[in-house]
Amino acid sequence: MSIEKIVDQALQDGYLTPAMEAEVGRICDNASELSIEEYMALDRLMGALLTGEVVAVPRKQFINVMEELVLTEAIARVAEIEATSESSLDVGDIAAYALNRLPPLYATTGEGANYQRQRAQADLEELISQQVTEAINRSLHQPNDNRTPIPKNTGNEVLRQVSTLLQVYAPSFEEKSQY
């Protein structure tokens, strides 16, 4: 979808969804240069957002605690294997394989995340370990098949994600001016 179509849709609906916002960002990030029409559409959108004609729908902040638990397990296990052998394993591949076979544990608050961690430690620790083991075994016996990885995030995207994580884990944190 083009920037112009997204802006027209937002103006028609009166709101800009997170998906629409992400698509505009993706187009802007991937374009070496925007056309005059695209700049004009972005200008119309900015004006509509400033006047309230279009409202940006807030993105609900949430985390999948299972990702944290699986990554922790995978990193520890991969470090052990790589320290004692010539094998080189991709933690991302291992985590994705295991996560696709485990239930998600979403939370929107710190309390909810703590509850999900406790629940996982009590009920799912063995299952997490089994799935990470299976993922590692599969990775050790699967040849590197020249797959194309997902592109890495830009520096600004990484900073935005870190900022979002800090807001989730430290909601009372106040950013201090450097001056």
Side-chain angles (χ1 to χ4, degrees), residues 34-83:
L34 295 177
S35 69
I36 292 172
E37 292 80 12
E38 289 171 320
Y39 277 116
M40 290 173 55
L42 289 172
D43 190 51
R44 285 192 350 249
L45 179 60
M46 186 59 70
L49 286 165
L50 290 171
T51 63
E53 181 183 354
V54 171
V55 177
V57 178
R59 181 176 289 141
K60 180 70 173 163
Q61 298 299 317
F62 58 88
I63 61 168
N64 179 359
V65 175
M66 187 59 79
E67 291 179 10
E68 167 191 320
L69 300 172
V70 167
L71 276 171
T72 300
E73 177 80 9
I75 289 168
R77 301 277 295 283
V78 166
E80 287 174 14
I81 291 169
E82 289 182 346

mmCIF file of all heavy atoms in Angstrom, residues 34-83:
data_model
loop_
_atom_site.group_PDB
_atom_site.id
_atom_site.type_symbol
_atom_site.label_atom_id
_atom_site.label_comp_id
_atom_site.label_asym_id
_atom_site.label_seq_id
_atom_site.Cartn_x
_atom_site.Cartn_y
_atom_site.Cartn_z
ATOM 1 N N LEU A 34 11.735 10.111 -1.203
ATOM 2 C CA LEU A 34 10.286 10.141 -1.337
ATOM 3 C C LEU A 34 9.898 11.123 -2.440
ATOM 4 O O LEU A 34 10.582 12.122 -2.665
ATOM 5 C CB LEU A 34 9.631 10.568 -0.019
ATOM 6 C CG LEU A 34 9.803 9.622 1.167
ATOM 7 C CD1 LEU A 34 9.156 10.209 2.411
ATOM 8 C CD2 LEU A 34 9.223 8.255 0.871
ATOM 9 N N SER A 35 8.779 10.844 -3.086
ATOM 10 C CA SER A 35 8.290 11.745 -4.132
ATOM 11 C C SER A 35 7.614 12.956 -3.491
ATOM 12 O O SER A 35 7.287 12.953 -2.296
ATOM 13 C CB SER A 35 7.290 11.012 -5.025
ATOM 14 O OG SER A 35 6.101 10.756 -4.287
ATOM 15 N N ILE A 36 7.378 13.977 -4.294
ATOM 16 C CA ILE A 36 6.686 15.173 -3.810
ATOM 17 C C ILE A 36 5.295 14.785 -3.311
ATOM 18 O O ILE A 36 4.843 15.272 -2.278
ATOM 19 C CB ILE A 36 6.602 16.241 -4.928
ATOM 20 C CG1 ILE A 36 8.009 16.765 -5.217
ATOM 21 C CG2 ILE A 36 5.664 17.369 -4.549
ATOM 22 C CD1 ILE A 36 8.097 17.687 -6.421
ATOM 23 N N GLU A 37 4.635 13.886 -4.023
ATOM 24 C CA GLU A 37 3.298 13.440 -3.624
ATOM 25 C C GLU A 37 3.326 12.756 -2.252
ATOM 26 O O GLU A 37 2.431 12.935 -1.434
ATOM 27 C CB GLU A 37 2.701 12.483 -4.677
ATOM 28 C CG GLU A 37 2.373 13.123 -5.997
ATOM 29 C CD GLU A 37 3.589 13.316 -6.912
ATOM 30 O OE1 GLU A 37 4.681 12.743 -6.633
ATOM 31 O OE2 GLU A 37 3.446 14.066 -7.896
ATOM 32 N N GLU A 38 4.378 11.940 -2.029
ATOM 33 C CA GLU A 38 4.496 11.251 -0.739
ATOM 34 C C GLU A 38 4.743 12.258 0.388
ATOM 35 O O GLU A 38 4.149 12.156 1.461
ATOM 36 C CB GLU A 38 5.612 10.213 -0.790
ATOM 37 C CG GLU A 38 5.248 9.002 -1.654
ATOM 38 C CD GLU A 38 6.414 8.067 -1.889
ATOM 39 O OE1 GLU A 38 7.549 8.547 -2.102
ATOM 40 O OE2 GLU A 38 6.184 6.844 -1.869
ATOM 41 N N TYR A 39 5.605 13.253 0.138
ATOM 42 C CA TYR A 39 5.828 14.297 1.138
ATOM 43 C C TYR A 39 4.543 15.071 1.422
ATOM 44 O O TYR A 39 4.232 15.395 2.573
ATOM 45 C CB TYR A 39 6.938 15.264 0.689
ATOM 46 C CG TYR A 39 8.328 14.769 0.971
ATOM 47 C CD1 TYR A 39 9.208 14.505 -0.073
ATOM 48 C CD2 TYR A 39 8.773 14.574 2.277
ATOM 49 C CE1 TYR A 39 10.493 14.055 0.179
ATOM 50 C CE2 TYR A 39 10.057 14.117 2.535
ATOM 51 C CZ TYR A 39 10.911 13.861 1.483
ATOM 52 O OH TYR A 39 12.181 13.409 1.734
ATOM 53 N N MET A 40 3.790 15.363 0.376
ATOM 54 C CA MET A 40 2.529 16.100 0.564
ATOM 55 C C MET A 40 1.539 15.265 1.374
ATOM 56 O O MET A 40 0.836 15.788 2.237
ATOM 57 C CB MET A 40 1.940 16.495 -0.798
ATOM 58 C CG MET A 40 2.756 17.585 -1.496
ATOM 59 S SD MET A 40 2.218 17.936 -3.190
ATOM 60 C CE MET A 40 0.506 18.315 -2.980
ATOM 61 N N ALA A 41 1.493 13.957 1.108
ATOM 62 C CA ALA A 41 0.591 13.076 1.858
ATOM 63 C C ALA A 41 1.000 13.031 3.326
ATOM 64 O O ALA A 41 0.145 13.114 4.223
ATOM 65 C CB ALA A 41 0.598 11.668 1.254
ATOM 66 N N LEU A 42 2.314 12.920 3.586
ATOM 67 C CA LEU A 42 2.791 12.917 4.974
ATOM 68 C C LEU A 42 2.471 14.240 5.657
ATOM 69 O O LEU A 42 2.112 14.262 6.838
ATOM 70 C CB LEU A 42 4.296 12.641 5.021
ATOM 71 C CG LEU A 42 4.719 11.208 4.681
ATOM 72 C CD1 LEU A 42 6.232 11.118 4.563
ATOM 73 C CD2 LEU A 42 4.193 10.224 5.711
ATOM 74 N N ASP A 43 2.585 15.342 4.934
ATOM 75 C CA ASP A 43 2.260 16.658 5.474
ATOM 76 C C ASP A 43 0.770 16.737 5.825
ATOM 77 O O ASP A 43 0.391 17.251 6.886
ATOM 78 C CB ASP A 43 2.655 17.745 4.474
ATOM 79 C CG ASP A 43 2.559 19.133 5.065
ATOM 80 O OD1 ASP A 43 3.123 19.343 6.163
ATOM 81 O OD2 ASP A 43 1.913 20.007 4.439
ATOM 82 N N ARG A 44 -0.095 16.206 4.937
ATOM 83 C CA ARG A 44 -1.541 16.179 5.221
ATOM 84 C C ARG A 44 -1.824 15.353 6.464
ATOM 85 O O ARG A 44 -2.634 15.729 7.316
ATOM 86 C CB ARG A 44 -2.314 15.590 4.029
ATOM 87 C CG ARG A 44 -2.443 16.518 2.859
ATOM 88 C CD ARG A 44 -3.441 16.080 1.773
ATOM 89 N NE ARG A 44 -3.983 14.750 1.857
ATOM 90 C CZ ARG A 44 -3.699 13.763 1.008
ATOM 91 N NH1 ARG A 44 -2.862 13.958 0.019
ATOM 92 N NH2 ARG A 44 -4.258 12.585 1.130
ATOM 93 N N LEU A 45 -1.145 14.215 6.574
ATOM 94 C CA LEU A 45 -1.342 13.350 7.735
ATOM 95 C C LEU A 45 -0.903 14.054 9.016
ATOM 96 O O LEU A 45 -1.609 14.023 10.026
ATOM 97 C CB LEU A 45 -0.578 12.034 7.563
ATOM 98 C CG LEU A 45 -0.677 11.046 8.725
ATOM 99 C CD1 LEU A 45 -2.127 10.638 8.977
ATOM 100 C CD2 LEU A 45 0.183 9.825 8.458
ATOM 101 N N MET A 46 0.260 14.694 8.979
ATOM 102 C CA MET A 46 0.759 15.399 10.165
ATOM 103 C C MET A 46 -0.212 16.508 10.577
ATOM 104 O O MET A 46 -0.524 16.660 11.755
ATOM 105 C CB MET A 46 2.148 15.986 9.880
ATOM 106 C CG MET A 46 2.791 16.612 11.091
ATOM 107 S SD MET A 46 3.015 15.471 12.472
ATOM 108 C CE MET A 46 4.282 14.434 11.832
ATOM 109 N N GLY A 47 -0.707 17.249 9.603
ATOM 110 C CA GLY A 47 -1.678 18.306 9.903
ATOM 111 C C GLY A 47 -2.947 17.739 10.522
ATOM 112 O O GLY A 47 -3.480 18.282 11.494
ATOM 113 N N ALA A 48 -3.431 16.632 9.967
ATOM 114 C CA ALA A 48 -4.649 16.002 10.481
ATOM 115 C C ALA A 48 -4.439 15.464 11.894
ATOM 116 O O ALA A 48 -5.329 15.523 12.741
ATOM 117 C CB ALA A 48 -5.110 14.887 9.543
ATOM 118 N N LEU A 49 -3.241 14.942 12.167
ATOM 119 C CA LEU A 49 -2.937 14.456 13.521
ATOM 120 C C LEU A 49 -2.865 15.620 14.507
ATOM 121 O O LEU A 49 -3.354 15.525 15.635
ATOM 122 C CB LEU A 49 -1.622 13.674 13.522
ATOM 123 C CG LEU A 49 -1.665 12.285 12.902
ATOM 124 C CD1 LEU A 49 -0.258 11.769 12.630
ATOM 125 C CD2 LEU A 49 -2.434 11.314 13.777
ATOM 126 N N LEU A 50 -2.278 16.736 14.073
ATOM 127 C CA LEU A 50 -2.144 17.905 14.953
ATOM 128 C C LEU A 50 -3.483 18.549 15.265
ATOM 129 O O LEU A 50 -3.703 19.028 16.374
ATOM 130 C CB LEU A 50 -1.190 18.936 14.334
ATOM 131 C CG LEU A 50 0.285 18.525 14.307
ATOM 132 C CD1 LEU A 50 1.103 19.516 13.486
ATOM 133 C CD2 LEU A 50 0.830 18.417 15.715
ATOM 134 N N THR A 51 -4.404 18.547 14.294
ATOM 135 C CA THR A 51 -5.721 19.165 14.514
ATOM 136 C C THR A 51 -6.711 18.215 15.173
ATOM 137 O O THR A 51 -7.779 18.638 15.612
ATOM 138 C CB THR A 51 -6.334 19.645 13.184
ATOM 139 O OG1 THR A 51 -6.549 18.496 12.335
ATOM 140 C CG2 THR A 51 -5.464 20.672 12.510
ATOM 141 N N GLY A 52 -6.370 16.939 15.236
ATOM 142 C CA GLY A 52 -7.281 15.965 15.830
ATOM 143 C C GLY A 52 -8.249 15.366 14.833
ATOM 144 O O GLY A 52 -9.107 14.563 15.198
ATOM 145 N N GLU A 53 -8.132 15.762 13.565
ATOM 146 C CA GLU A 53 -8.983 15.190 12.524
ATOM 147 C C GLU A 53 -8.715 13.693 12.384
ATOM 148 O O GLU A 53 -9.613 12.898 12.095
ATOM 149 C CB GLU A 53 -8.707 15.911 11.199
ATOM 150 C CG GLU A 53 -9.551 15.431 10.036
ATOM 151 C CD GLU A 53 -9.172 16.129 8.729
ATOM 152 O OE1 GLU A 53 -8.341 17.050 8.732
ATOM 153 O OE2 GLU A 53 -9.727 15.714 7.701
ATOM 154 N N VAL A 54 -7.465 13.311 12.624
ATOM 155 C CA VAL A 54 -7.064 11.903 12.660
ATOM 156 C C VAL A 54 -6.438 11.650 14.016
ATOM 157 O O VAL A 54 -5.636 12.442 14.503
ATOM 158 C CB VAL A 54 -6.048 11.573 11.532
ATOM 159 C CG1 VAL A 54 -5.471 10.182 11.709
ATOM 160 C CG2 VAL A 54 -6.706 11.700 10.170
ATOM 161 N N VAL A 55 -6.828 10.539 14.624
ATOM 162 C CA VAL A 55 -6.299 10.159 15.928
ATOM 163 C C VAL A 55 -5.441 8.919 15.749
ATOM 164 O O VAL A 55 -5.848 7.969 15.071
ATOM 165 C CB VAL A 55 -7.461 9.863 16.916
ATOM 166 C CG1 VAL A 55 -6.926 9.397 18.252
ATOM 167 C CG2 VAL A 55 -8.342 11.078 17.077
ATOM 168 N N ALA A 56 -4.264 8.935 16.344
ATOM 169 C CA ALA A 56 -3.401 7.760 16.314
ATOM 170 C C ALA A 56 -3.880 6.789 17.385
ATOM 171 O O ALA A 56 -3.945 7.132 18.565
ATOM 172 C CB ALA A 56 -1.950 8.149 16.551
ATOM 173 N N VAL A 57 -4.248 5.595 16.977
ATOM 174 C CA VAL A 57 -4.705 4.580 17.916
ATOM 175 C C VAL A 57 -3.482 4.076 18.678
ATOM 176 O O VAL A 57 -2.512 3.630 18.069
ATOM 177 C CB VAL A 57 -5.398 3.416 17.178
ATOM 178 C CG1 VAL A 57 -5.829 2.331 18.154
ATOM 179 C CG2 VAL A 57 -6.583 3.923 16.385
ATOM 180 N N PRO A 58 -3.507 4.182 20.011
ATOM 181 C CA PRO A 58 -2.317 3.758 20.760
ATOM 182 C C PRO A 58 -2.076 2.264 20.641
ATOM 183 O O PRO A 58 -3.007 1.470 20.583
ATOM 184 C CB PRO A 58 -2.633 4.143 22.210
ATOM 185 C CG PRO A 58 -4.113 4.280 22.264
ATOM 186 C CD PRO A 58 -4.579 4.624 20.877
ATOM 187 N N ARG A 59 -0.811 1.920 20.609
ATOM 188 C CA ARG A 59 -0.403 0.521 20.556
ATOM 189 C C ARG A 59 -0.357 0.005 21.986
ATOM 190 O O ARG A 59 0.273 0.591 22.844
ATOM 191 C CB ARG A 59 0.979 0.436 19.904
ATOM 192 C CG ARG A 59 1.501 -0.963 19.762
ATOM 193 C CD ARG A 59 2.823 -0.972 19.023
ATOM 194 N NE ARG A 59 2.569 -0.646 17.630
ATOM 195 C CZ ARG A 59 3.351 0.118 16.895
ATOM 196 N NH1 ARG A 59 4.426 0.641 17.396
ATOM 197 N NH2 ARG A 59 3.062 0.367 15.649
ATOM 198 N N LYS A 60 -1.052 -1.059 22.248
ATOM 199 C CA LYS A 60 -1.046 -1.662 23.580
ATOM 200 C C LYS A 60 0.319 -2.268 23.823
ATOM 201 O O LYS A 60 0.844 -3.003 23.003
ATOM 202 C CB LYS A 60 -2.135 -2.735 23.672
ATOM 203 C CG LYS A 60 -2.228 -3.431 24.999
ATOM 204 C CD LYS A 60 -2.745 -2.525 26.076
ATOM 205 C CE LYS A 60 -2.972 -3.313 27.349
ATOM 206 N NZ LYS A 60 -3.091 -2.483 28.485
ATOM 207 N N GLN A 61 0.901 -1.953 24.958
ATOM 208 C CA GLN A 61 2.213 -2.490 25.296
ATOM 209 C C GLN A 61 2.041 -3.847 25.970
ATOM 210 O O GLN A 61 1.302 -3.967 26.941
ATOM 211 C CB GLN A 61 2.949 -1.537 26.236
ATOM 212 C CG GLN A 61 3.224 -0.182 25.622
ATOM 213 C CD GLN A 61 4.093 -0.275 24.382
ATOM 214 O OE1 GLN A 61 5.067 -1.017 24.365
ATOM 215 N NE2 GLN A 61 3.746 0.471 23.348
ATOM 216 N N PHE A 62 2.700 -4.832 25.444
ATOM 217 C CA PHE A 62 2.648 -6.163 26.036
ATOM 218 C C PHE A 62 3.932 -6.903 25.712
ATOM 219 O O PHE A 62 4.652 -6.525 24.800
ATOM 220 C CB PHE A 62 1.431 -6.956 25.537
ATOM 221 C CG PHE A 62 1.386 -7.122 24.050
ATOM 222 C CD1 PHE A 62 2.010 -8.191 23.432
ATOM 223 C CD2 PHE A 62 0.704 -6.201 23.261
ATOM 224 C CE1 PHE A 62 1.965 -8.334 22.059
ATOM 225 C CE2 PHE A 62 0.652 -6.339 21.889
ATOM 226 C CZ PHE A 62 1.285 -7.410 21.285
ATOM 227 N N ILE A 63 4.196 -7.921 26.493
ATOM 228 C CA ILE A 63 5.349 -8.775 26.252
ATOM 229 C C ILE A 63 4.912 -10.230 26.337
ATOM 230 O O ILE A 63 3.918 -10.551 26.991
ATOM 231 C CB ILE A 63 6.503 -8.519 27.258
ATOM 232 C CG1 ILE A 63 6.054 -8.793 28.689
ATOM 233 C CG2 ILE A 63 7.054 -7.120 27.110
ATOM 234 C CD1 ILE A 63 7.199 -8.842 29.692
ATOM 235 N N ASN A 64 5.674 -11.079 25.679
ATOM 236 C CA ASN A 64 5.489 -12.518 25.798
ATOM 237 C C ASN A 64 6.624 -13.007 26.695
ATOM 238 O O ASN A 64 7.772 -13.109 26.253
ATOM 239 C CB ASN A 64 5.536 -13.183 24.423
ATOM 240 C CG ASN A 64 5.366 -14.688 24.494
ATOM 241 O OD1 ASN A 64 5.230 -15.263 25.571
ATOM 242 N ND2 ASN A 64 5.377 -15.329 23.348
ATOM 243 N N VAL A 65 6.304 -13.281 27.939
ATOM 244 C CA VAL A 65 7.306 -13.700 28.919
ATOM 245 C C VAL A 65 8.002 -14.984 28.466
ATOM 246 O O VAL A 65 9.168 -15.205 28.780
ATOM 247 C CB VAL A 65 6.651 -13.859 30.315
ATOM 248 C CG1 VAL A 65 7.631 -14.415 31.331
ATOM 249 C CG2 VAL A 65 6.095 -12.517 30.784
ATOM 250 N N MET A 66 7.309 -15.801 27.690
ATOM 251 C CA MET A 66 7.907 -17.049 27.208
ATOM 252 C C MET A 66 9.164 -16.765 26.390
ATOM 253 O O MET A 66 10.125 -17.532 26.447
ATOM 254 C CB MET A 66 6.895 -17.859 26.384
ATOM 255 C CG MET A 66 7.382 -19.240 25.997
ATOM 256 S SD MET A 66 7.809 -20.318 27.393
ATOM 257 C CE MET A 66 6.190 -20.850 27.884
ATOM 258 N N GLU A 67 9.189 -15.662 25.640
ATOM 259 C CA GLU A 67 10.380 -15.322 24.858
ATOM 260 C C GLU A 67 11.589 -15.150 25.770
ATOM 261 O O GLU A 67 12.669 -15.664 25.488
ATOM 262 C CB GLU A 67 10.151 -14.042 24.057
ATOM 263 C CG GLU A 67 9.158 -14.206 22.928
ATOM 264 C CD GLU A 67 8.927 -12.908 22.177
ATOM 265 O OE1 GLU A 67 9.662 -11.915 22.389
ATOM 266 O OE2 GLU A 67 7.980 -12.877 21.371
ATOM 267 N N GLU A 68 11.414 -14.423 26.847
ATOM 268 C CA GLU A 68 12.489 -14.196 27.817
ATOM 269 C C GLU A 68 12.982 -15.521 28.400
ATOM 270 O O GLU A 68 14.182 -15.765 28.489
ATOM 271 C CB GLU A 68 11.943 -13.283 28.915
ATOM 272 C CG GLU A 68 12.760 -13.155 30.156
ATOM 273 C CD GLU A 68 11.973 -12.454 31.251
ATOM 274 O OE1 GLU A 68 11.246 -11.485 30.968
ATOM 275 O OE2 GLU A 68 12.078 -12.905 32.409
ATOM 276 N N LEU A 69 12.051 -16.390 28.783
ATOM 277 C CA LEU A 69 12.411 -17.659 29.406
ATOM 278 C C LEU A 69 13.139 -18.583 28.430
ATOM 279 O O LEU A 69 14.136 -19.210 28.782
ATOM 280 C CB LEU A 69 11.155 -18.338 29.961
ATOM 281 C CG LEU A 69 10.397 -17.539 31.028
ATOM 282 C CD1 LEU A 69 9.068 -18.200 31.356
ATOM 283 C CD2 LEU A 69 11.233 -17.353 32.266
ATOM 284 N N VAL A 70 12.650 -18.645 27.201
ATOM 285 C CA VAL A 70 13.276 -19.501 26.190
ATOM 286 C C VAL A 70 14.651 -18.959 25.818
ATOM 287 O O VAL A 70 15.611 -19.728 25.695
ATOM 288 C CB VAL A 70 12.362 -19.643 24.953
ATOM 289 C CG1 VAL A 70 13.118 -20.245 23.774
ATOM 290 C CG2 VAL A 70 11.151 -20.501 25.294
ATOM 291 N N LEU A 71 14.777 -17.657 25.626
ATOM 292 C CA LEU A 71 16.080 -17.082 25.288
ATOM 293 C C LEU A 71 17.106 -17.332 26.385
ATOM 294 O O LEU A 71 18.256 -17.669 26.099
ATOM 295 C CB LEU A 71 15.951 -15.584 25.021
ATOM 296 C CG LEU A 71 15.532 -15.216 23.602
ATOM 297 C CD1 LEU A 71 15.220 -13.727 23.506
ATOM 298 C CD2 LEU A 71 16.605 -15.606 22.604
ATOM 299 N N THR A 72 16.695 -17.179 27.626
ATOM 300 C CA THR A 72 17.605 -17.418 28.744
ATOM 301 C C THR A 72 18.109 -18.857 28.714
ATOM 302 O O THR A 72 19.312 -19.116 28.837
ATOM 303 C CB THR A 72 16.901 -17.122 30.084
ATOM 304 O OG1 THR A 72 16.488 -15.752 30.082
ATOM 305 C CG2 THR A 72 17.806 -17.374 31.264
ATOM 306 N N GLU A 73 17.205 -19.798 28.543
ATOM 307 C CA GLU A 73 17.564 -21.218 28.476
ATOM 308 C C GLU A 73 18.443 -21.501 27.258
ATOM 309 O O GLU A 73 19.470 -22.182 27.362
ATOM 310 C CB GLU A 73 16.290 -22.072 28.427
ATOM 311 C CG GLU A 73 16.523 -23.556 28.276
ATOM 312 C CD GLU A 73 16.886 -24.266 29.572
ATOM 313 O OE1 GLU A 73 16.797 -23.652 30.650
ATOM 314 O OE2 GLU A 73 17.281 -25.436 29.494
ATOM 315 N N ALA A 74 18.050 -20.974 26.109
ATOM 316 C CA ALA A 74 18.795 -21.237 24.870
ATOM 317 C C ALA A 74 20.211 -20.666 24.940
ATOM 318 O O ALA A 74 21.173 -21.334 24.544
ATOM 319 C CB ALA A 74 18.043 -20.661 23.670
ATOM 320 N N ILE A 75 20.361 -19.455 25.434
ATOM 321 C CA ILE A 75 21.687 -18.834 25.518
ATOM 322 C C ILE A 75 22.606 -19.648 26.424
ATOM 323 O O ILE A 75 23.766 -19.910 26.082
ATOM 324 C CB ILE A 75 21.567 -17.366 25.999
ATOM 325 C CG1 ILE A 75 20.946 -16.514 24.896
ATOM 326 C CG2 ILE A 75 22.921 -16.809 26.417
ATOM 327 C CD1 ILE A 75 20.513 -15.122 25.339
ATOM 328 N N ALA A 76 22.090 -20.066 27.576
ATOM 329 C CA ALA A 76 22.902 -20.857 28.508
ATOM 330 C C ALA A 76 23.326 -22.181 27.883
ATOM 331 O O ALA A 76 24.497 -22.584 27.969
ATOM 332 C CB ALA A 76 22.131 -21.097 29.803
ATOM 333 N N ARG A 77 22.392 -22.854 27.237
ATOM 334 C CA ARG A 77 22.692 -24.167 26.652
ATOM 335 C C ARG A 77 23.642 -24.056 25.471
ATOM 336 O O ARG A 77 24.549 -24.869 25.309
ATOM 337 C CB ARG A 77 21.392 -24.859 26.239
ATOM 338 C CG ARG A 77 20.404 -25.079 27.387
ATOM 339 C CD ARG A 77 20.686 -26.315 28.192
ATOM 340 N NE ARG A 77 20.513 -27.520 27.433
ATOM 341 C CZ ARG A 77 19.335 -28.059 27.138
ATOM 342 N NH1 ARG A 77 18.207 -27.524 27.556
ATOM 343 N NH2 ARG A 77 19.289 -29.155 26.423
ATOM 344 N N VAL A 78 23.442 -23.047 24.618
ATOM 345 C CA VAL A 78 24.314 -22.847 23.461
ATOM 346 C C VAL A 78 25.731 -22.506 23.928
ATOM 347 O O VAL A 78 26.719 -23.008 23.370
ATOM 348 C CB VAL A 78 23.751 -21.757 22.518
ATOM 349 C CG1 VAL A 78 24.790 -21.289 21.513
ATOM 350 C CG2 VAL A 78 22.513 -22.285 21.797
ATOM 351 N N ALA A 79 25.841 -21.681 24.953
ATOM 352 C CA ALA A 79 27.168 -21.328 25.488
ATOM 353 C C ALA A 79 27.905 -22.576 25.967
ATOM 354 O O ALA A 79 29.103 -22.730 25.707
ATOM 355 C CB ALA A 79 27.025 -20.322 26.616
ATOM 356 N N GLU A 80 27.195 -23.485 26.655
ATOM 357 C CA GLU A 80 27.811 -24.736 27.116
ATOM 358 C C GLU A 80 28.308 -25.565 25.936
ATOM 359 O O GLU A 80 29.428 -26.080 25.956
ATOM 360 C CB GLU A 80 26.792 -25.577 27.893
ATOM 361 C CG GLU A 80 26.443 -25.068 29.261
ATOM 362 C CD GLU A 80 25.310 -25.892 29.899
ATOM 363 O OE1 GLU A 80 24.990 -26.996 29.397
ATOM 364 O OE2 GLU A 80 24.750 -25.410 30.893
ATOM 365 N N ILE A 81 27.483 -25.707 24.914
ATOM 366 C CA ILE A 81 27.826 -26.533 23.752
ATOM 367 C C ILE A 81 29.005 -25.924 23.001
ATOM 368 O O ILE A 81 29.949 -26.623 22.633
ATOM 369 C CB ILE A 81 26.605 -26.706 22.831
ATOM 370 C CG1 ILE A 81 25.563 -27.585 23.531
ATOM 371 C CG2 ILE A 81 26.999 -27.288 21.481
ATOM 372 C CD1 ILE A 81 24.204 -27.610 22.848
ATOM 373 N N GLU A 82 28.958 -24.624 22.765
ATOM 374 C CA GLU A 82 30.018 -23.976 21.993
ATOM 375 C C GLU A 82 31.345 -23.952 22.750
ATOM 376 O O GLU A 82 32.405 -23.941 22.140
ATOM 377 C CB GLU A 82 29.590 -22.570 21.577
ATOM 378 C CG GLU A 82 28.505 -22.604 20.494
ATOM 379 C CD GLU A 82 28.078 -21.228 20.015
ATOM 380 O OE1 GLU A 82 28.404 -20.213 20.670
ATOM 381 O OE2 GLU A 82 27.399 -21.175 18.972
ATOM 382 N N ALA A 83 31.288 -23.979 24.087
ATOM 383 C CA ALA A 83 32.515 -23.983 24.882
ATOM 384 C C ALA A 83 33.206 -25.340 24.867
ATOM 385 O O ALA A 83 34.414 -25.421 25.074
ATOM 386 C CB ALA A 83 32.201 -23.573 26.330
#
